[in-house]
Amino acid sequence: IHQNPQTDLRVPDKTMIIQHTVLFKFPSIETLVPQELAEVVDEFNALEGIVATLKPHGTSTADKAGFLARVGWPDKTEGYTHCLLILAKNECCLKAYLHSEAHLVKWMAVVKPYLKGIVVFDNEIDPSVLAAAQLLAGPAVGQKGGLCAAEGLAPASGLPAAGGEYAAKSDGEIADMVASGALKDHALEKVLGDCERAVSVRRLGVERSLAPRTPITGLPYKGYCYDQVRGANCEVVVGYVPLPCGLVGPLLVDGAPYLVPMATTEGCLVASTNRGAKAITQAGGCF
């Protein structure tokens, strides 16, 4: 990493993402997300330009009461229990979602037995806000193969082109095939031709197998070099675990100071390497 005191997270264009927030009163399922609701949300995520999540109030480690107690804040929810958050690439994508069969027919049918109140709010989000949120969450979420591209790694061979008979199926449908035994879990990468999608489907299957359904949180999975892992390092992959990363340097190379990131679980390794970098720098650097 070349030392640079300026960091700019702003997105150069003026594209704005639409945030469509829906608050529900579901008193009979206050802390749960029933499977029939989760399956329709999966269909929302299959729509073009849509990212959808449905969550009850609270976090993965605490319900509403426990969470509010931890942060020392009163309950101001006024009986609202769940939030459906829709991020749309643009107004056209949001309109397509609102008028889709998944929303108008399936969603309306499954929420009706639980619904006791609703509030809807729409606003714009600058994409730079999402970029900043990714930094807060830890490892950046990138495009498929983003880390591979950053490291100059070519995709591994042996994968079919993405598509085929599974191209038109949603992740939920494929997860159902795995659950029924019609498709082998370990074969997802091979049959889908998309390693990252295979990981996403596998995670969905795990979430659905838990009672109550529990999302996998705290374990990142997007933007990793899964095509390099397949058949070499790990099987039945559901994500990756970040390693502690220290900094070595500044190391003087060609007259310019560099900080070198070093991820390791070996104690004293970064400190030892730092001593070597200091000696090289004090000796005039390397070329």
Side-chain angles (χ1 to χ4, degrees), residues 176-194:
D176 287 339
M177 294 177 67
V178 174
S180 68
L183 185 61
K184 297 298 183 182
D185 190 10
H186 64 80
L188 285 172
E189 283 82 358
K190 182 176 180 180
V191 299
L192 295 180
D194 184 334

Side-chain angles (χ1 to χ4, degrees), residues 10-247:
R10 291 173 298 176
V11 176
D13 60 43
K14 298 299 182 181
T15 300
M16 289 290 178
I17 293 171
I18 306 298
Q19 176 175 292
H20 176 75
T21 306
V22 189
L23 300 180
F24 294 100
K25 291 183 179 180
F26 292 154
S28 63
I29 53 167
E30 186 171 355
T31 62
L32 305 175
V33 176
Q35 183 172 348
E36 62 266 29
L37 271 66
E39 289 177 348
V40 180
V41 174
D42 290 340
E43 294 192 32
F44 293 164
N45 279 304
L47 298 173
E48 180 70 25
I50 294 293
V51 175
T53 59
L54 176 66
K55 302 287 185 182
H57 193 292
T59 68
S60 60
T61 59
D63 61 11
K64 178 176 75 172
F67 173 73
L68 292 175
R70 288 201 312 218
V71 298
W73 198 250
D75 184 354
K76 298 184 178 183
T77 58
E78 298 185 0
Y80 289 95
T81 60
H82 291 68
C83 175
L84 174 67
L85 179 62
I86 304 292
L87 297 179
K89 184 177 180 181
N90 50 46
E91 291 183 10
C92 291
C93 292
L94 180 61
K95 183 177 181 179
Y97 151 76
L98 291 171
H99 295 273
S100 67
E101 180 184 3
H103 180 245
L104 287 180
V105 180
K106 296 181 181 180
W107 180 251
M108 298 301 182
V110 295
V111 301
K112 187 176 181 179
Y114 307 109
L115 185 60
K116 298 299 180 182
I118 185 173
V119 171
V120 182
F121 190 88
D122 295 291
N123 63 289
E124 285 184 333
I125 296 182
D126 190 314
S128 64
V129 174
L130 300 181
Q134 290 167 5
L135 292 179
L136 291 176
V141 176
Q143 297 178 342
K144 292 181 176 65
L147 291 179
C148 292
E151 296 296 330
L153 298 175
S157 59
L159 280 177
E165 61 180 301
Y166 301 99
K169 295 185 182 297
S170 69
D171 288 358
E173 290 173 321
I174 298 173
D176 287 339
M177 294 177 67
V178 174
S180 68
L183 185 61
K184 297 298 183 182
D185 190 10
H186 64 80
L188 285 172
E189 283 82 358
K190 182 176 180 180
V191 299
L192 295 180
D194 184 334
C195 291
E196 186 169 297
R197 187 186 181 199
V199 173
S200 178
V201 170
R202 190 173 291 120
R203 289 166 66 103
L204 178 60
V206 171
E207 292 176 1
R208 289 182 172 183
S209 70
L210 302 176
R213 174 171 170 160
T214 305
I216 299 176
T217 58
L219 182 66
Y221 77 96
K222 290 187 176 181
Y224 197 69
C225 305
Y226 293 114
D227 50 0
Q228 294 289 328
V229 172
R230 176 178 175 268
N233 303 105
C234 189
E235 299 76 38
V236 197
V237 179
V238 293
Y240 59 92
V241 178
L243 292 174
C245 186
L247 282 178

Side-chain angles (χ1 to χ4, degrees), residues 273-286:
T273 309
N274 249 323
R275 288 192 288 270
K278 182 178 180 180
I280 291 173
T281 297
Q282 290 182 341
C286 57

